[in-house]
Amino acid sequence: MAGSSRSLQFDEFPPATHENWLSAAASLLRTGTPESLSTATLEGLDLQPLYSAEHSAGLQHPEFFPALLPRADTGSRPWLIVQSSALANPMDVNRELLEGIRQGSNAIQLVPDRDSMSGTGATRREDAAGSQSGNVLRSADDFALALDSLPLEKTTLLMQCGAHSLPLPALLVAALRQQAADLPDLRGAIGADPLAWLASRGNLPATVDALYDEQAAWLRWTQECAPGIDAIFLDCCVWHEAGGHAVQEIACSLANATATLRAMLARDIGIEEIAPRMALSMSVGGDILLELSKLRALRLLWAQMIEAFGGSPACQLPTIHARTGRRNKSALDPWNNMLRSTLEALTGAMGGCDSVLIEPFDVTPGPSSDLARRHALNQQHILQHEAGLARTLDPAGGSWTLEVLTDWLAREAWSMFQDIEGRGGLLACLLNGSIQRDFARVAQQRFTRNARRRDVQVGSNQFVDDRNFEAIDLPESRSDSGPASTNRRPSESDSGNLQEIPRAECSFDTMVKSAEQGAGLKELLQTMSHESAESPRISPLNVIRLSAPWEALRANASAHQRRGSRAVRVCIALCGEAAPLHARASFVSDFFGAGGFECTVGPARGTAEEAAATALSAGADLIVLCARDGDCSSAVPVFCNVVKKRQPDALIYLAGRPPAEVEAAWREAGIVDFVYVGADCLSINRSLQQRPGLAS
């Protein structure tokens, strides 16, 4: 109050506790219990709606942040904006990369196709024009075309090489020498990851020891000739794209890194030489809290792992290249992908990643457009320059929620990592199938939650844009170029043309000279000698994309519409006053819209007889009775009786979950199935489409 000398005394108000808040929030829910406010995650955590200082009071790890972030010792600097191209023809790749640099990217990623990484392909670039399966890089000339006129002296270069560490880098180095590039000034990450390749492909082109020999040879060469290159580039994306949760991703990434470190140490390379030259490629998903905590927990455990190997604090900082995840992207209403990838890039930036690659929003169904690629770059420019994330050191620091989640994930992931090590390491667990079983179980949980719409995927399983059904086709299947791109079992011919490499003959300089003289990828591989030991073969991890079943449903419905000149029609019959039934009718319309059906809501009728007559006059393929729960007992028998008398083969569904004691009777009366929150939307729509005449 103006002129008053009395100051506000906050002790006049009773302090609000966390329990007070929980009670107040729970009182607004139907259950009225605080337990209903928590969310169970696939990691096994009961995520609370609110965390306070008391939850993080006993945590020890915050003292390590922001010291474990890459910008901590250099001041504020932006992360690298990565531009990649999945086109096959190197000239097309060059065009897209040059355009990306012109638009502001300062890092580029070559994406060798599967055959380039395995050495089995003979596809000519002339035959691959427009293909989106990855870069066809079979010779030094191909690399020269892809990198022509690119300012590599100020642009970071990234490339994952699959299982082999030497052939593709040899072709690359030969091309760079032809262009008189200054190799000591080259910066980036170029390397292979044998165990990630094995996990995703199911086989290896040589023994694990032989491939680690290659990795050591490449590491030694870069130390002398290209010290700015991280020669070990671990592909941690494979664990994310196989459906794994955050704990599994961290644990398997650590187990893979541990196996690599031990292999390099066994080849007389010191920890201080290895650790600073290791980089990780991480997929970032859409759950910002868990994904951000995942990145922070990974940094904590990485430092702990390097310390356990005797590494100094100077080499405990991981280099993380983030990529927007693929398992949550959809070909349906793809503009939603741009929102998803913006959130994921935000997470990567706040998590302190060294570089971020945003894949174009339309990349899922096929080749991306220039517009989508430009959007992907502009998303990062907005985050850096308008949101100002490049000017902050640790924007996520101090959040009680994130600190608690980071601590929990770190503890759980370290325990799982120790369990993998106790069972013989990552390779042993892949060979006995335990890793695959664990991932398959979590992936199935993801699919179940998605099918029942517990996890909402806008545009796919909920909030469907029904204006585009007639234009939907199944996306063309394509082989992604990263290791996490196939769910097939290995065939006997997969490694038939590859040669295994003994330690004594891993001469990188010899391979570069051969490449400079015109040797191609297959010729380089053929110079490598066989070993008698058999390379491992396993059942590979399955790559998942949650939207794929919904895309198939809608494509099937669209094809049916084109064949029969109209879509399958669903009539929602309202029995009772319209206002109380509006929300239920909207739910039903969205439920069947996800399956590609055309839904119309009929006028409200006061009695079941009138509602049935109105529904029959609509000429629909499917009728859904929509009434209030208290009215269903009387409405269902009458409604079904009227409909069945006039149309015995009519399909009748009910909006709402039936009481257990009457479900059998209502089904006997004629109800085919029930539509309610938590019902298996995918299964119901799929079984409906399989009926004769209904998009089958």
Side-chain angles (χ1 to χ4, degrees):
M1 183 180 298
S4 173
S5 60
R6 183 188 178 195
S7 61
L8 183 63
Q9 300 296 317
F10 287 98
D11 57 6
E12 295 178 5
F13 302 95
T17 66
H18 186 72
E19 288 70 23
N20 295 148
W21 183 91
L22 284 176
S23 298
S27 66
L28 301 177
L29 303 177
R30 290 182 180 179
T31 59
T33 60
E35 290 76 13
S36 59
L37 291 168
S38 64
T39 302
T41 70
L42 293 176
E43 289 80 3
L45 170 67
D46 284 331
L47 186 62
Q48 300 302 313
L50 184 68
Y51 290 89
S52 61
E54 61 189 79
H55 292 95
S56 59
L59 304 184
Q60 299 298 318
H61 74 262
E63 65 187 71
F64 295 103
F65 285 96
L68 289 177
L69 296 173
R71 296 183 284 276
D73 57 350
T74 59
S76 178
R77 66 173 175 84
W79 65 92
L80 298 174
I81 299 175
V82 183
Q83 170 73 23
S84 71
S85 172
L87 294 177
N89 192 308
M91 291 182 288
D92 295 332
V93 173
N94 179 258
R95 172 181 54 81
E96 289 193 350
L97 295 181
L98 281 173
E99 181 64 16
I101 291 175
R102 189 187 69 81
Q103 294 173 356
S105 67
N106 50 14
I108 59 173
Q109 181 164 12
L110 293 177
V111 187
D113 69 338
R114 182 180 63 187
D115 292 332
S116 293
M117 287 193 283
S118 65
T120 61
T123 306
R124 298 177 303 170
R125 60 174 179 268
E126 294 82 0
D127 298 332
S131 172
Q132 193 78 1
S133 61
N135 314 149
V136 176
L137 301 170
R138 307 288 195 266
S139 67
D141 288 340
D142 289 340
F143 276 96
L145 286 171
L147 299 176
D148 183 40
S149 301
L150 292 174
L152 295 180
E153 70 280 357
K154 58 181 180 181
T155 305
T156 297
L157 176 61
L158 308 175
M159 182 174 70
Q160 287 180 321
C161 303
H164 281 297
S165 293
L166 296 181
L168 285 175
L171 296 176
L172 171 64
V173 170
L176 293 176
R177 285 180 174 174
Q178 291 175 11
Q179 297 175 342
D182 195 350
L183 292 177
D185 290 340
L186 199 62
R187 297 290 181 269
I190 301 169
D193 188 346
L195 293 190
W197 181 270
L198 175 64
S200 60
R201 300 297 185 192
N203 63 354
L204 286 175
T207 64
V208 175
D209 279 341
L211 295 172
Y212 279 141
D213 286 337
E214 288 189 57
Q215 203 168 52
W218 171 234
L219 177 59
R220 290 191 180 98
W221 188 90
T222 56
Q223 285 175 334
E224 296 179 5
C225 303
I229 292 295
D230 293 333
I232 299 175
F233 198 4
L234 301 183
D235 183 11
C236 306
C237 298
V238 61
W239 317 116
H240 179 92
E241 306 305 343
H245 55 59
V247 173
Q248 291 174 316
E249 287 187 63
I250 299 171
C252 289
S253 298
L254 293 176
N256 191 7
T258 297
T260 304
L261 285 168
R262 287 180 176 144
M264 297 302 103
L265 290 170
R267 287 155 177 80
D268 298 324
I269 305 177
I271 186 64
E272 297 292 326
E273 300 173 281
I274 306 167
R277 312 291 302 287
M278 298 181 75
L280 299 86
S281 177
M282 296 289 297
S283 287
V284 180
D287 190 323
I288 187 169
L289 292 178
L290 280 173
E291 293 295 310
L292 187 50
S293 301
K294 176 183 79 176
L295 293 173
R296 293 169 70 86
L298 176 63
R299 291 186 177 281
L300 281 169
L301 299 185
W302 185 271
Q304 185 169 319
M305 176 191 68
I306 298 299
E307 183 180 20
F309 276 98
S312 65
C315 64
Q316 293 176 11
L317 179 66
T319 300
I320 300 178
H321 301 284
R323 188 194 76 189
T324 53
R326 295 173 179 171
R327 72 185 182 203
N328 64 341
K329 301 306 184 292
S330 173
L332 304 169
D333 200 2
W335 290 99
N336 287 302
N337 293 335
M338 187 163 63
L339 301 177
R340 297 179 181 114
S341 62
T342 300
L343 182 65
E344 292 158 4
L346 171 69
T347 303
M350 294 176 67
C353 292
D354 297 81
S355 69
V356 176
L357 168 64
I358 296 181
E359 294 194 321
F361 65 81
D362 63 354
V363 73
T364 298
S368 58
S369 64
D370 291 338
L371 175 66
R373 288 193 297 276
R374 181 62 185 267
H375 270 302
L377 289 174
N378 286 347
Q379 288 168 260
Q380 300 214 49
H381 292 317
I382 291 172
L383 291 175
Q384 284 194 358
H385 304 299
E386 296 188 26
L389 289 179
R391 297 191 294 271
T392 57
L393 183 59
D394 184 17
S399 165
W400 292 320
T401 299
L402 291 177
E403 301 296 359
V404 171
L405 290 183
T406 297
D407 182 79
W408 187 88
L409 284 179
R411 294 177 186 277
E412 293 295 314
W414 189 258
S415 176
M416 182 178 291
F417 164 58
Q418 289 179 312
D419 179 64
I420 294 173
E421 290 297 293
R423 289 184 282 138
L426 182 61
L427 177 58
C429 291
L430 288 171
L431 290 173
N432 64 32
S434 58
I435 293 288
Q436 294 91 319
R437 289 190 293 272
D438 291 342
F439 275 78
R441 182 170 56 253
V442 176
Q444 184 56 52
Q445 291 174 341
R446 291 192 188 279
F447 276 118
T448 299
R449 292 176 65 91
N450 185 267
R452 294 183 177 275
R453 309 202 300 180
R454 296 294 190 190
D455 293 335
V456 176
Q457 193 173 18
V458 175
S460 294
N461 67 355
Q462 202 162 342
F463 308 118
V464 174
D465 182 4
D466 58 2
R467 296 169 297 176
N468 298 324
F469 287 166
E470 68 278 2
I472 293 175
D473 292 300
L474 276 173
E476 294 183 7
S477 61
R478 65 183 181 92
S479 298
D480 295 333
S481 53
S485 62
T486 182
N487 58 6
R488 63 182 179 84
R489 294 186 62 86
S491 64
E492 291 299 325
S493 62
D494 280 346
S495 58
N497 294 327
L498 298 179
Q499 310 293 325
E500 297 188 2
I501 312 156
R503 300 182 185 183
E505 299 187 20
C506 287
S507 174
F508 184 72
D509 285 319
T510 300
M511 298 184 73
V512 172
K513 290 178 182 178
S514 298
E516 290 176 329
Q517 295 169 1
L521 180 62
K522 295 190 71 173
E523 288 77 16
L524 293 183
L525 287 165
Q526 288 170 358
T527 64
M528 299 179 178
S529 300
H530 285 282
E531 281 189 352
S532 58
E534 183 179 355
S535 59
R537 306 174 74 85
I538 64 170
S539 177
L541 294 173
N542 289 325
V543 175
I544 72 169
R545 198 163 56 80
L546 296 171
S547 181
W550 304 100
E551 293 167 7
L553 280 178
R554 305 257 261 286
N556 194 25
S558 179
H560 174 81
Q561 180 175 347
R562 290 195 294 268
R563 289 193 302 267
S565 73
R566 73 173 183 86
V568 176
R569 297 171 181 169
V570 176
C571 176
I572 303 173
L574 303 183
C575 181
E577 297 181 12
L581 299 176
H582 175 75
R584 184 166 294 195
S586 297
F587 174 84
V588 172
S589 181
D590 192 58
F591 189 96
F592 287 106
F597 299 110
E598 184 181 278
C599 301
T600 58
V601 181
R605 300 304 184 195
T607 66
E609 293 90 342
E610 294 172 342
T614 302
L616 287 167
S617 64
D621 303 282
L622 169 68
I623 298 172
V624 182
L625 172 60
C626 187
R628 291 189 297 182
D629 291 339
D631 299 334
C632 286
S633 295
S634 58
V636 168
V638 175
F639 185 90
C640 291
N641 184 53
V642 173
V643 172
K644 288 294 185 180
K645 278 185 177 180
R646 292 179 52 183
Q647 192 174 328
D649 59 347
L651 298 176
I652 307 173
Y653 285 63
L654 177 66
R657 187 168 193 168
E661 63 272 14
V662 299
E663 179 179 350
W666 288 359
R667 289 187 182 275
E668 182 68 23
I671 299 295
V672 176
D673 216 331
F674 304 90
V675 179
Y676 54 88
V677 175
D680 192 335
C681 180
L682 179 64
S683 177
I684 290 175
N685 277 288
R686 184 179 284 162
S687 62
L688 187 58
Q689 281 197 2
Q690 291 171 352
R691 290 178 176 270
L694 297 182
S696 59

